[in-house]
Amino acid sequence: MTRRARIPNLGGARAVVLHREHAAVEVLIRQLGAIGLEVEQAWPDLPATAAGADFLFFDVDHGFDEQFPWKAGEAPMPLVALIGSEAPGRIEWALSLQADAQIVKPVGNAGVYSALLIARRAFDERRRLGEEIASLRRRIGERQTVVRAVVALSGAGIGEEQAYAQLRALAMSWQVSLEGAARRIVELKTTEASDERPRLA
């Protein structure tokens, strides 16, 4: 039986609406207030307080890269795209920012709450996957270091199994992880190789 994710309570959350003064913005701000969010509207510059917001709504039709102080795809909060024009270039720009949800303008009386929930879920899942990928990359890097250390130790005329056993013994002796011991071995071998390299007069 799969467990259903709980719908978060949005009361007290903060939202920034990056959009010029417009009737669509007034409707959106009313809807967000009715849901229980505190709302700040700004244009064209993103206020410094936006970094601590829980959601950011942005205008796809007139927005531009320089409005955001982070790289595309690295927003610290869920992004909701406000789309009026379906011009391919504008849609492509919204996709490049990795918007987590969208609302089509003009904003009506429905769709804001579901956009908030979808954006929150998509953002959390993207962040979780990013952390998982970073962890896997670290583990792959550590395994490569272990292999390099085993190769370095086996260069002394012993087999790979003996070299691996020696690496484990060194890790226990130094009271560090196997990966930590491997890093030390690789650093020592690199330093030795550098010291032995002939120098130009």
Side-chain angles (χ1 to χ4, degrees), residues 131-144:
E131 290 169 358
E132 192 174 311
I133 289 167
S135 173
L136 287 170
R137 284 180 175 158
R138 280 194 302 272
R139 286 169 59 189
I140 288 169
E142 288 173 350
R143 286 184 180 179
Q144 289 173 341

Side-chain angles (χ1 to χ4, degrees), residues 78-91:
L79 300 181
V80 181
L82 298 171
I83 302 174
S85 165
E86 292 191 333
R90 292 281 84 194
I91 302 297

Side-chain angles (χ1 to χ4, degrees), residues 156-180:
I158 60 174
E160 286 185 7
E161 285 187 18
Q162 288 176 298
Y164 186 76
Q166 186 179 357
L167 179 61
R168 280 201 330 245
L170 287 169
M172 290 172 61
S173 170
W174 293 338
Q175 296 183 343
V176 296
S177 67
L178 188 70
E179 293 79 7

Side-chain angles (χ1 to χ4, degrees), residues 143-154:
R143 286 184 180 179
Q144 289 173 341
T145 303
V146 169
V147 169
R148 288 175 62 197
V150 168
V151 169
L153 290 171
S154 63

